[in-house]
């Protein structure tokens, strides 16, 4: 019932928020998200980290005649993603308090509806239930971006929607085929898919059907073209949801449904997938260096960071996959913090253009410290969260193929270039007409950024807090893949 509560409570709370008028809606939404966080922490406390099998199981018939069940639960991989979701959503809601969105009840209800889809994706143990929640998570973010986004929001959001639906159809086709390969009355449960024995030719095309679906969501080069414009045009909360949590759906989907279901297909095409991921690492970083809009710098940096995570996926070794897990947490924390700081600057100055800024640190020392910590986490400075993830990922890629690891390592150098360049030009130098009246963080803004800064150091200094949770599930996954 614990998993079911984590899935259903945000949807029920969203219905309640819809009934609340005016600005009170955000307070109700924040309270509901805090309760979800408390339940998520309770699940963490009661989770047995020595077990590799799913815990807090709920298995009820859904479409019984077709062998489809409402089966949900959490192993270590799922729990980390659920914890990331329940930690970030209340912060994203709180970060939106200062933005006067029209129809606030609808806006905050959509965030909670999206949380239901996200938690559902991370806990589903049935393929069609996973697909259902995959689509549920898409609908709210589409409306958030389309209704509250920037001037070019309609074109950009339509492109994002088409990309995602296109990928989803590939995934659905693969799931339907796999379902009909299960023996007897057929089943769409995760375990049934894992037990299938398919020839290498079949696994080869199934690999591409599933890989395209997940690669679009991450996104991996060359399926990334929807991402920079969508991140730029979406409202701040939408950008934080997309970058901090939603892109993790694609990585998680590959871990849960691609690697263990079609291992022969993965072995055939792993080199190609790794090359695409490495191209994305270099491409995203180089384009980020050339950007003049702060939001687009972080958007392209996300492509680069996710490219390294995707590379770790296909190493099929413990270091690479553990690096994937810890870097998903780190990236979620860092990118949400950076996009929130950009939103603060935009609300105060009315621009995101790097060239128009300078000298902000003289008026905002507290924000400078928060910005610096999150930026250093993003560039993988030792003792920060980004270092642990990138170290494990690069170690995994090196173990797979040394030259790939060497090329992928360039991300650290290029990342330092575009992040330090942005930080220096925005925060240091002389004040100008638009930055001279800049004010430091408010209490609400500190309440968002301080927990994120704490997580940068917690993950960086005590990574085993989280790695120990995912380790049994990762080792079990490797056994399934190499069966």
């Amino acid at each position: 019932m614990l998993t079911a509560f984590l899935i259903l409570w945000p949807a029920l709370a969203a219905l309640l928020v819809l009934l609340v008028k005016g600005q009170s809606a955000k307070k109700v939404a924040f309270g509901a998200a805090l309760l979800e966080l408390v339940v998520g922490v309770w699940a963490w406390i009661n989770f047995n980290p020595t077990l590799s099998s799913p815990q807090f199981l709920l298995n009820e018939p859904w479409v019984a005649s077709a062998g489809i069940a409402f089966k949900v639960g959490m192993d270590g991989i799922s729990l980390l993603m659920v914890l990331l979701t329940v930690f970030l959503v209340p912060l994203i809601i709180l970060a939106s308090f200062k933005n006067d969105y029209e129809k606030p009840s609808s806006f905050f209800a959509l965030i909670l509806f999206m949380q239901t889809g996200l938690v559902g994706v991370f806990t589903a143990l049935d393929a069609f239930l996973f697909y259902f929640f995959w689509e549920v998570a898409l609908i709210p973010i589409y409306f958030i971006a389309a209704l509250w986004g920037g001037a070019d929001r309609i074109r950009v959001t339509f492109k994002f929607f088409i990309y995602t639906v296109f990928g989803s159809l590939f995934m659905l086709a693969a799931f339907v085929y796999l379902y009909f390969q299960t023996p007897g009355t057929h089943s769409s449960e995760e375990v049934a898919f894992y037990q299938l024995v398919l020839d290498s030719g079949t696994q080869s095309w199934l690999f591409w059907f599933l890989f395209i679906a997940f690669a679009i969501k991450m996104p991996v080069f060359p399926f990334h073209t929807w991402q920079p414009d969508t991140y730029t045009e979406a409202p701040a909360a939408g950008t934080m949801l997309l970058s901090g949590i939603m892109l993790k759906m694609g990585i998680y989907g590959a871990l849960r449904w691609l690697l263990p279901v079609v291992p022969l297909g993965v072995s055939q095409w792993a080199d190609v997938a790794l090359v695409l991921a490495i191209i994305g690492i270099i491409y995203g970083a180089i384009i980020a260096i050339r950007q003049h809009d702060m939001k687009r710098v972080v958007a392209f940096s996300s492509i680069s960071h996710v490219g390294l995570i995707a590379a770790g996926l296909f190493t099929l070794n413990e270091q690479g996959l553990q690096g994937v897990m810890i870097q998903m947490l780190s990236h979620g924390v860092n990118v949400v913090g950076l996009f929130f700081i950009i939103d603060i600057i935009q609300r105060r100055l009315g621009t995101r253009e790097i060239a128009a800024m300078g000298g902000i640190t003289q008026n905002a020392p507290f924000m400078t410290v928060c910005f610096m910590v999150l930026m250093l986490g993003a560039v993988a400075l030792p003792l920060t969260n980004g270092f642990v993830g990138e170290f494990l990922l690069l170690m995994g890629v090196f173990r797979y193929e040394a030259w790939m690891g060497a090329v992928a390592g360039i991300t650290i150098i290029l990342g330092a270039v575009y992040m330090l360049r942005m930080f220096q030009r925005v925060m240091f130098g002389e004040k100008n007409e638009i930055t001279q009246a800049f004010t430091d963080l408010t209490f609400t803004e500190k309440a968002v950024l301080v927990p994120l800064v704490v997580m940068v150091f917690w993950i960086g200094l005590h990574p085993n807090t989280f790695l120990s949770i995912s380790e049994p599930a990762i080792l079990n996954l490797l056994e399934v893949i190499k069966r």
Side-chain angles (χ1 to χ4, degrees):
M1 290 302 293
L2 189 63
T3 307
F5 181 88
L6 286 168
I7 295 170
L8 298 176
W9 167 244
L12 295 173
L15 295 175
L16 177 62
V17 170
L18 285 172
L19 301 176
V20 178
K21 302 299 181 183
Q23 297 301 316
S24 298
K26 58 191 176 188
K27 297 177 183 178
V28 176
F30 180 63
L34 281 182
L35 178 57
E36 180 86 345
L37 173 60
V38 170
V39 176
V41 172
W42 178 254
W44 181 13
I45 293 170
N46 288 276
F47 184 82
N48 185 345
T50 63
L51 300 178
S52 61
S53 56
Q55 301 172 46
F56 314 118
L57 279 170
L58 176 67
N59 189 5
E60 295 292 334
W62 189 23
V63 187
S65 60
I68 301 173
F70 191 94
K71 185 177 182 180
V72 293
M74 288 184 280
D75 62 5
I77 298 170
S78 302
L79 179 62
L80 287 185
M81 292 298 95
V82 169
L83 288 175
L84 178 68
T85 304
V86 300
F87 172 69
L88 290 181
V89 168
L91 295 180
I92 291 170
I93 292 173
L94 188 60
S96 304
F97 270 32
K98 294 297 182 181
N99 293 316
D100 294 325
Y101 295 113
E102 293 183 15
K103 300 180 179 178
S105 58
S106 299
F107 181 83
F108 290 102
L110 285 169
I111 293 178
L112 292 173
F113 273 125
M114 185 174 177
Q115 186 173 21
T116 282
L118 291 165
V119 175
V121 164
F122 297 138
T123 57
L125 299 175
D126 180 281
F128 292 123
L129 186 65
F130 175 86
Y131 177 79
F132 170 77
F133 282 121
W134 182 275
E135 295 302 302
V136 166
L138 168 65
I139 296 168
I141 193 63
Y142 171 80
F143 284 108
I144 288 172
L147 297 178
W148 289 277
D152 200 24
R153 62 187 183 276
I154 301 302
R155 180 190 66 82
V156 168
T157 308
F158 182 72
K159 181 179 180 180
F160 162 64
F161 184 80
I162 292 298
Y163 258 86
T164 308
V165 169
F166 179 75
S168 299
L169 291 176
F170 274 98
M171 177 169 62
L172 180 60
F175 282 170
V176 169
Y177 178 85
L178 289 164
Y179 167 79
F180 282 112
Q181 303 312 303
T182 57
T185 56
H186 303 305
S187 171
S188 55
E189 288 191 17
E190 176 188 88
V191 175
F193 280 17
Y194 286 6
Q195 293 173 347
L196 287 173
V197 179
L198 304 170
D199 63 80
S200 60
T202 300
Q203 290 197 32
S204 181
W205 68 261
L206 282 171
F207 169 87
W208 283 105
F209 272 53
L210 292 170
F211 176 73
I212 289 172
F214 300 138
I216 288 172
K217 191 74 79 177
M218 292 183 207
V220 171
F221 179 91
F223 308 102
H224 67 284
T225 58
W226 63 267
Q227 189 251 49
D229 289 341
T230 305
Y231 281 19
T232 303
E233 292 298 321
T239 305
M240 288 187 274
L241 284 166
L242 279 165
S243 59
I245 312 172
M246 193 171 183
L247 71 78
K248 313 303 185 296
M249 287 168 52
I251 302 163
Y252 175 85
L255 270 172
R256 183 68 74 195
W257 298 101
L258 176 66
L259 303 184
V261 174
V262 289
L264 295 179
V266 172
S267 66
Q268 290 178 63
W269 296 107
D271 285 350
V272 175
L274 269 160
V275 168
L276 291 178
I278 291 170
I279 291 172
I281 293 171
I282 307 302
Y283 166 83
I286 291 174
I287 302 299
I289 292 171
R290 298 181 59 84
Q291 297 305 304
H292 306 288
D293 181 315
M294 293 181 72
K295 214 172 182 184
R296 292 185 74 83
V297 171
V298 179
F300 279 103
S301 79
S302 185
I303 293 175
S304 182
H305 285 112
V306 171
L308 183 56
I309 298 174
L313 275 173
F314 295 98
T315 61
L316 301 183
N317 56 55
E318 184 183 355
Q319 290 82 2
L321 294 185
Q322 281 285 66
V324 167
M325 293 308 305
I326 202 75
Q327 193 67 352
M328 281 199 284
L329 296 180
S330 301
H331 179 266
V333 168
N334 294 335
V335 79
V336 165
L338 289 171
F339 276 126
F340 181 51
I341 285 173
I342 292 168
D343 182 54
I344 292 170
I345 292 172
Q346 183 180 4
R347 279 190 279 111
R348 288 188 180 31
L349 303 182
T351 181
R352 297 192 303 260
E353 287 294 317
I354 295 172
M357 301 178 200
I360 290 177
T361 189
Q362 298 173 42
N363 289 5
F366 196 97
M367 192 188 84
T368 303
V369 172
C370 294
F371 192 178
M372 182 180 67
V373 170
L374 292 162
M375 180 268 298
L376 293 176
V379 302
L381 187 78
L383 305 182
T384 66
N385 56 358
F387 175 77
V388 179
E390 292 206 5
F391 179 79
L392 287 172
L393 286 167
L394 290 172
M395 183 187 295
V397 177
F398 264 108
R399 286 193 62 188
Y400 181 88
E401 188 70 62
W403 73 265
M404 288 185 176
V407 177
I410 296 174
T411 183
I412 297 175
I413 300 169
L414 295 178
V417 171
Y418 58 72
M419 281 296 179
L420 290 170
R421 168 182 171 272
M422 178 176 71
F423 183 77
Q424 179 186 10
R425 294 187 178 183
V426 170
M427 304 306 295
F428 297 135
E430 297 297 325
K431 290 188 285 187
N432 57 43
E433 291 181 3
I434 67 168
T435 61
Q436 62 183 356
F438 197 94
T439 56
D440 210 346
L441 300 178
T442 64
F443 175 79
T444 302
E445 291 163 349
K446 290 177 181 177
V448 175
L449 288 172
V450 169
L452 295 171
V453 168
V454 169
M455 288 304 301
V456 169
F457 290 115
W458 186 355
I459 298 173
L461 295 171
H462 301 286
N464 282 335
T465 307
F466 307 97
L467 290 172
S468 61
I469 295 174
S470 59
E471 184 179 14
I474 290 294
L475 292 175
N476 182 64
L477 182 70
L478 286 170
E479 288 181 12
V480 172
I481 293 169
K482 296 173 181 178
R483 68 187 184 273

